[in-house]
Amino acid sequence: MSTAIWWVRRDLRLDNNPTLRRAVETGLFVQPVFILDPALLNDDAPPRQSFLMEGLAALNALLRQRGSYLLLRHGEPIQQLALLARELEASIIFAEEDYTPYARRRDAVATQNLPIQWVTGLTALHPASVVKADGSPYTVFTPFMKAWKSMPSSLTGEWKAPAKLAGPALIESHPIPSFKKNTIFPATQPEAEKRLERFIDDGLFSYAESRDRLDLDGTSSLSPYLRFGLISIRQLFAAAEQAKQQAPDSAATKSAETWMNELIWREFYQSILYHFPFVTYSAFNPRFRAIPWRDAPQDLLAWQQGRTGFPVVDAAMRQLSTIGWVHNRARMIAASFLAKDLLINWQEGERWFFNHLVDADIAANNGGWQWTAGVGTDAAPYFRVFNPTLQGIKFDPEGNYIRRWVPELANLPTKLIHQPELMTALEETRYNVRLGRDYPRRIIDRSQTRERTLNAYQLSKDGFTQPYS
Ligand SMILES: Cc1cc2nc3c(=O)[nH]c(=O)nc-3n(C[C@H](O)[C@H](O)[C@H](O)COP(=O)(O)OP(=O)(O)OC[C@H]3O[C@@H](n4cnc5c(N)ncnc54)[C@H](O)[C@@H]3O)c2cc1C
């Protein structure tokens, strides 16, 4: 019997996997294949890379339980697939479509040279299908979200992988590179399912109130699993829809709706990347492509290391370097601080986040940075500058998020934890923390930076002469 190759990419799961399903439905032998592309291996991004390897090992274990295995090869993907297709006598290859510029260039070559069929699965709806009546893409979230919700739903179709997935004769696989097990985000499909269940039972119906609270586990923490497809995005949409229907009261309905909208933000940024791939190297809004950013390596370093003297910013940056994941509100606060307070190019921050986040995703990371810096698609006015102290007081009212990630401030009472610079010498002694020695003094005076930022953005706007497109 001939073989169908399932080219595993960002879909490291068996259940609810539309690509595997298509391969199984051919009735051919199915051989799962993963190609480790040297162009995508990034030693600067250890958390993400390690999560990927752990996810591959977990997928391989699930496949082995079904009499199959993951066939792994190193090298240029198209060449490797062509070789394997010959070895396996494969007549067809199925793969999930990916929308990054690199993936699209690579996949165009695959389409020309291999018997390949593309399947939509990275997003619930294909980005080319959610467009305006004239076929042009949406560039603002709310109309995109409304159009998305009005599309015929393809969210049903829950699918369990067969109990047996026998492949053809054994072809030797290269070993999966070693990895460090992630104790906070174990990279397995069952773990993703468990998190979803926990969130549905305890979190989803209060999401609208608690999602912004830095000190609570008010969100699903599913982003690393979505990043590598250890869970299906359609499954999450279906869960949100079901929760909306079963919500006991209007607050719960609102929460389910809010969570669904966050999932649509993910679809929106994938769509922006698909239609406007230039965002990976340029501001979406042409008015903000000539901001005279500061070249301030010491400030950049202080931000990266969580030593800015602004506790909530430092907590966010230390959470990032410690566990490779940061609460959404904390990402916004830290990103705003870099771009709007330090006036350092948002692309420096985008790069840093990309290399340190376990869930680092080109589309969501770029979208989040452009939005926060006020240079992107949406109507976030560029002159809105987050005040990190007020953000901290509002979203971490007792200071517990700060105490967790900035332990040198742990003894401070709530009234001082967001503003340790207000401590008297007596208080420094009492709480055993000396500013400038145990915890840094503020690296900027915010009473002056707002003006500097607005002038820099204004300069870019003034210098822009072409019509907005
Ligand atoms: C500067 C910045 C950088 C970011 N970088 C990334 C990134 O690299 N990868 C990433 O997945 N998310 C990124 N986000 C979006 C968001 O912070 C994370 O998706 C969220 O914190 C993940 O936590 P969660 O899974 O508990 O989310 P939940 O609140 O439970 O939301 C469920 C899912 O919806 C999606 N989602 C939620 N909010 C957003 C959003 N604003 N934009 C896009 N998708 C969203 C995510 O897939 C998330 O897992 C970034 C946001 C900012 C402001």
Side-chain angles (χ1 to χ4, degrees):
M1 188 157 65
S2 166
T3 301
I5 290 180
W6 165 32
W7 180 10
V8 179
R9 289 138 61 104
R10 285 182 59 174
D11 55 339
L12 308 186
R13 68 181 181 282
L14 299 183
D15 294 338
N16 300 314
N17 186 323
T19 311
L20 173 59
R21 180 179 182 168
R22 288 276 301 279
V24 167
E25 284 173 355
T26 59
L28 305 174
F29 282 136
V30 175
Q31 179 59 58
V33 166
F34 190 87
I35 313 289
L36 270 178
D37 179 353
L40 289 182
L41 290 180
N42 180 354
D43 290 334
D44 291 338
R48 192 169 74 252
Q49 196 143 306
S50 196
F51 189 90
L52 167 64
M53 301 313 164
E54 189 178 345
L56 291 174
L59 178 65
N60 192 30
L62 287 180
L63 285 165
R64 286 195 177 280
Q65 287 166 10
R66 287 169 162 81
S68 179
Y69 71 106
L70 185 64
L71 175 48
L72 185 129
R73 286 287 152 93
H74 290 257
E76 198 286 313
I78 313 304
Q79 278 171 14
Q80 294 300 319
L81 278 168
L83 284 173
L84 280 175
R86 223 170 301 142
E87 267 184 86
L88 291 160
E89 296 179 12
S91 53
I92 189 155
I93 301 172
F94 291 95
E96 183 179 275
E97 206 173 330
D98 191 353
Y99 311 123
T100 67
Y102 175 82
R104 288 176 74 190
R105 276 194 305 276
R106 176 196 60 203
D107 295 348
V109 180
T111 303
Q112 279 174 357
N113 294 284
L114 298 168
I116 197 155
Q117 299 223 353
W118 299 107
V119 182
T120 302
L122 180 63
T123 48
L125 298 179
H126 195 285
S129 68
V130 191
V131 286
K132 297 181 194 164
D134 65 2
S136 62
Y138 288 99
T139 56
V140 175
F141 175 71
T142 305
F144 175 89
M145 184 253 287
K146 288 186 178 151
W148 194 100
K149 287 182 176 168
S150 72
M151 302 274 294
S153 166
S154 57
L155 302 179
T156 48
E158 193 183 321
W159 182 77
K160 287 269 174 232
K164 272 267 161 256
L165 264 176
L170 200 72
I171 292 187
E172 206 182 324
S173 171
H174 293 169
I176 295 170
S178 59
F179 55 86
K180 195 167 156 246
K181 268 193 180 220
N182 194 320
T183 51
I184 308 217
F185 297 100
T188 68
Q189 180 184 318
E191 172 68 24
E193 300 281 350
K194 209 162 67 192
R195 278 173 192 247
L196 175 60
E197 255 171 55
R198 203 168 51 215
F199 182 63
I200 292 172
D201 289 348
D202 182 21
L204 182 47
F205 285 148
S206 50
Y207 182 75
E209 298 134 53
S210 31
R211 61 187 280 255
D212 275 321
R213 282 283 297 268
L214 298 168
D215 53 337
L216 304 177
D217 285 334
T219 68
S220 69
S221 70
L222 279 166
S223 51
Y225 301 89
L226 275 171
R227 164 65 179 83
F228 290 100
L230 283 94
I231 198 154
S232 139
I233 182 66
R234 289 194 182 119
Q235 185 183 350
L236 300 197
F237 273 114
E241 187 56 48
Q242 197 181 14
K244 258 167 62 183
Q245 278 157 27
Q246 294 174 349
D249 52 40
S250 60
T253 311
K254 183 174 167 220
S255 280
E257 189 78 50
T258 308
W259 194 59
M260 180 179 269
N261 290 348
E262 291 308 309
L263 299 175
I264 300 177
W265 270 105
R266 179 179 177 276
E267 303 264 304
F268 177 63
Y269 284 139
Q270 290 291 345
S271 166
I272 292 296
L273 181 66
Y274 178 83
H275 292 287
F276 306 98
F278 68 80
V279 293
T280 53
Y281 54 84
S282 172
F284 177 85
N285 187 336
R287 288 187 168 86
F288 297 121
R289 288 185 189 149
I291 296 169
W293 300 108
R294 287 170 67 231
D295 179 24
Q298 285 309 319
D299 286 356
L300 176 61
L301 190 67
W303 178 80
Q304 290 169 339
Q305 294 181 342
R307 290 189 296 101
T308 65
F310 290 84
V312 73
V313 174
D314 294 340
M317 297 308 293
R318 295 191 204 179
Q319 183 178 25
L320 175 64
S321 54
T322 312
I323 64 166
W325 186 89
V326 187
H327 188 284
N328 180 58
R329 172 65 46 181
R331 292 186 206 210
M332 291 197 286
I333 296 169
S336 172
F337 187 79
L338 184 80
K340 301 265 182 85
D341 285 314
L342 297 181
L343 195 59
I344 290 177
N345 193 335
W346 59 272
Q347 288 162 313
E348 293 279 0
E350 181 193 23
R351 202 167 19 251
W352 186 260
F353 269 32
F354 193 70
N355 284 341
H356 289 81
L357 283 168
V358 181
D359 64 22
D361 171 83
I362 293 185
N365 190 39
N366 180 269
W369 274 97
Q370 296 227 19
W371 185 90
T372 315
V375 302
T377 50
D378 235 72
Y382 75 91
F383 44 83
R384 191 174 77 183
V385 180
F386 278 3
N387 178 326
T389 308
L390 296 182
Q391 288 280 314
I393 292 169
K394 188 164 176 194
F395 297 113
D396 182 26
E398 308 295 322
N400 290 335
Y401 177 71
I402 293 173
R403 286 194 184 88
R404 174 156 183 214
W405 296 109
V406 187
E408 63 268 37
L409 299 181
N411 293 335
L412 262 59
T414 303
K415 72 177 175 47
L416 286 172
I417 196 144
H418 295 286
Q419 303 177 84
E421 68 284 355
L422 298 184
M423 274 190 297
T424 60
L426 200 64
E427 284 167 328
E428 288 194 22
T429 309
R430 184 184 312 151
Y431 302 124
N432 194 23
V433 52
R434 197 158 301 277
L435 279 189
R437 185 192 70 188
D438 305 317
Y439 182 71
R441 292 182 193 286
R442 294 182 159 196
I443 60 170
I444 48 161
D445 175 357
R446 289 196 73 254
S447 64
Q448 287 162 22
T449 53
R450 184 179 156 81
E451 200 61 19
R452 177 175 77 181
T453 298
L454 296 188
N455 287 341
Y457 274 63
Q458 193 63 45
L459 267 177
S460 182
K461 264 180 85 179
D462 291 347
F464 179 73
T465 50
Q466 285 149 41
Y468 180 77
S469 64

